[in-house]
Amino acid sequence: MSSPADSVPAPAVRAKAAPAAPRIAVVPKHHALVRLSHWANVPILLVLIATGFSIYWASPVFEHAPNPANGSRDYLADAGVWVARHVPGLLLGSRPTDWVYDRLGIGTGALASALRLHWLFAYLFMINGALYLVGLLAGRGYKALLPRRSDFREALAMMRYYAGVVPAKLLRRPWPHPPVRSKYNALQRGAYFSMPVLGLLAIASGWAMHKPVQLHWLERLFVNYDGARIVHFTVMAIFAAFIIPHVVLVIADGWDTFRSMIVGWSERVGGPHGRG
C-alpha cells in the first residue's frame, strides 16, 4: 500500500535549450560590372599615374623661384634631391632631380612615349568608368552611395573603430564593429561617392588640356589651361593617396568586405541589421 507521499508527482525537470546560433543572411552586394571595373581600375590607374609623372616632368605646373644651387624650379625635383641627401643608397645612378620621375614614372626624357601610353589608358579609364556606372545602375548600387543625414555621426563611430581595432586585437580585447544598416559604412560611402566625381574631373580636365582650342568652353570651366593642369594633377594625387588607406581599411573591416568585391555577395550576422 502506497503512502500519500508516493502519490505526489515529482516536479518536472525542464531541459535547458541550447542557445540559438546567430542567423547569417547571404545578401547580394556588388554587381558583376562593378566588380570587373573595380579590379580593372588597378592597372589602369597605375599606368596613368606613372605616365602622368613623366608628362609632368616635361612642364611642371607647381614651381618656385630657381634654386641657386641647382637651378631647379620643380618641387618634385626638390623631393628627389632631399632623398639623395637623407636616404643613402636610394639614388642608384639617377640624378637627384630625376629620382621621383625615374622611380614613380617611366623616366625622364620619355614625353612622347608617356603621352601615347597615357592616352591609351585614358580611353580604357573612360570605358571602364562607363562600365562601372552601368553596373551601379543595373545593380542599383548607386543608392548605397547617396549621402544620408546620419553620415556624420556614423563616420565618427567608424573612425573610433578603425583607430582602436589594431590595439584591441593586440591586447586581445573585444572591439565591436559599429552597426551598419546598409551596404557601406559612412566612411566608405563618402569615399566611394567621391571616386566617380573625381573620375569625371580627371576626364574633363584631361580633355581641356588635350583640346584647349576645340573645347575652349571646357577649358574655361577650369579658368585657363594651367587651371585644368592643376585640377588634373591634384586628382591624380588624390587617387594615389586613396590606395593605401583604402587597402588598410578593407583589411580592418574584415574578410567579408574583401570577398564581396570578388564574389559579389556578403554575409551578415543577424540579418539585415547586423554588420555589413
Side-chain angles (χ1 to χ4, degrees):
M1 187 172 182
S2 59
S3 63
D6 295 335
S7 61
V8 179
V13 178
R14 294 184 179 179
K16 292 184 178 179
R23 185 166 58 91
I24 297 177
V26 176
V27 294
K29 192 166 185 179
H30 300 296
H31 190 274
L33 286 178
V34 171
R35 287 178 277 135
L36 173 65
S37 57
H38 173 272
W39 293 111
N41 239 10
V42 176
I44 290 173
L45 282 177
L46 288 177
V47 175
L48 285 174
I49 291 171
T51 53
F53 271 116
S54 293
I55 295 169
Y56 184 89
W57 165 85
S59 181
V61 68
F62 297 105
E63 294 184 312
H64 54 75
N67 187 324
N70 55 23
S72 171
R73 302 170 60 95
D74 179 12
Y75 287 103
L76 292 183
D78 296 343
V81 173
W82 185 92
V83 169
R85 288 178 179 173
H86 297 87
V87 190
L90 284 186
L91 196 56
L92 299 177
S94 294
R95 291 195 311 166
T97 53
D98 296 341
W99 188 89
V100 171
Y101 300 107
D102 287 341
R103 297 297 178 273
L104 302 182
I106 64 172
T108 57
L111 178 61
S113 299
L115 281 170
R116 286 194 294 268
L117 267 177
H118 197 78
W119 269 106
L120 170 62
F121 278 81
Y123 281 114
L124 293 177
F125 180 75
M126 288 183 276
I127 294 171
N128 199 51
L131 290 177
Y132 175 76
L133 292 177
V134 170
L136 279 182
L137 293 173
R140 300 191 177 186
Y142 69 93
K143 294 182 178 180
L145 297 178
L146 299 178
R148 304 177 185 187
R149 292 181 179 179
S150 60
D151 277 354
F152 181 74
R153 183 183 70 254
E154 293 176 4
L156 291 177
M158 287 307 307
M159 285 189 282
R160 176 181 176 275
Y161 170 77
Y162 287 135
V165 64
V166 173
K169 287 186 180 298
L170 292 176
L171 297 173
R172 297 183 179 181
R173 293 180 179 175
W175 194 254
H177 194 288
V180 178
R181 294 174 174 81
S182 64
K183 183 184 295 187
Y184 303 117
N185 65 55
L187 288 182
Q188 291 171 327
R189 186 160 46 248
Y192 300 157
F193 178 81
S194 68
M195 289 298 105
V197 176
L198 291 171
L200 289 174
L201 274 177
I203 293 169
S205 58
W207 279 108
M209 292 185 294
H210 186 52
K211 300 288 185 180
V213 177
Q214 297 90 331
L215 299 175
H216 178 68
W217 61 271
L218 183 58
E219 183 205 31
R220 296 304 297 172
L221 290 178
F222 298 97
V223 180
N224 52 35
Y225 185 83
D226 278 344
R229 295 185 67 208
I230 291 171
V231 169
H232 199 73
F233 188 83
T234 302
V235 169
M236 182 274 291
I238 294 173
F239 277 143
F242 174 78
I243 295 172
I244 294 177
H246 175 58
V247 172
V248 170
L249 294 183
V250 166
I251 293 173
D253 209 44
W255 164 247
D256 185 64
T257 299
F258 178 80
R259 178 183 55 194
S260 67
M261 190 50 77
I262 298 175
V263 299
W265 51 265
S266 173
E267 288 183 352
R268 291 181 180 172
V269 178
H273 300 292
R275 178 179 170 178

